[in-house]
Amino acid sequence: MKKYLLLSAFATLTLLSCNNEGTSVNNTVESMKTPAMENFDKAFKSLGDPQNRPTEEEKKRNTSELSDRRKALLVPASKELILSLGVTESELMRKTGGDMSQIIVWATQIYMKKSDEIRKNIKSEK
């Protein structure tokens, strides 16, 4: 009986230890994000808020593209992320023509690249 009790206690401690390890890695990824990345992340998450979800009219269009209303929610954070790299406002406008979709796509590419770099840095530290 004592053997099973000790074994289960050891197994529990092992599982908790592994769980904490994963949490610390996730916290590290989150803590290494720049403020511009965090704002971009928050902007995307805000699309799930009730007031930002697609309207019935937007759903009827049955398109995979975001509506202009929803794109407008992402553009400020997208611009902030792009400009945080040292890109000037004029260069941003020249490359995208002010098109909301192009701004969002460019920012998404930057976000994904920076996230990958953070993950690689964490793996190399281990």
Side-chain angles (χ1 to χ4, degrees):
M1 183 71 171
K2 286 183 181 180
K3 184 178 178 181
Y4 291 117
L5 183 61
L6 287 173
L7 185 61
S8 65
F10 180 73
T12 303
L13 287 174
T14 303
L15 288 174
L16 288 174
S17 174
C18 292
N19 189 25
N20 289 340
E21 240 177 68
T23 303
S24 68
V25 169
N26 288 338
N27 288 339
T28 306
V29 170
E30 290 301 314
S31 68
M32 292 179 75
K33 286 183 180 179
T34 64
M37 289 177 72
E38 290 175 0
N39 289 340
F40 186 74
D41 199 28
K42 287 177 188 173
F44 259 100
K45 288 177 182 176
S46 77
L47 292 178
D49 293 347
Q51 69 273 17
N52 297 333
R53 290 189 184 139
T55 63
E56 289 303 317
E57 184 179 312
E58 290 168 344
K59 288 179 186 177
K60 286 179 186 175
R61 291 189 196 134
N62 200 18
T63 178
S64 61
E65 189 172 331
L66 292 172
S67 66
D68 286 345
R69 175 184 69 85
R70 296 181 81 208
K71 286 180 193 176
L73 297 170
L74 300 175
V75 169
S78 297
K79 282 184 176 181
E80 178 188 356
L81 182 58
I82 294 167
L83 296 175
S84 74
L85 294 180
V87 175
T88 63
E89 184 79 35
S90 60
E91 186 179 356
L92 171 69
M93 287 305 169
R94 184 173 41 80
K95 286 189 175 181
T96 63
D99 182 330
M100 289 192 293
S101 294
Q102 289 184 24
I103 292 169
I104 294 167
V105 167
W106 189 6
T108 303
Q109 291 169 342
I110 292 168
Y111 182 87
M112 297 305 288
K113 182 180 175 187
K114 285 181 159 263
S115 295
D116 286 342
E117 289 172 4
I118 290 170
R119 283 188 200 92
K120 285 178 186 175
N121 287 340
I122 291 171
K123 284 183 182 179
S124 69
E125 290 175 4
K126 287 186 173 185

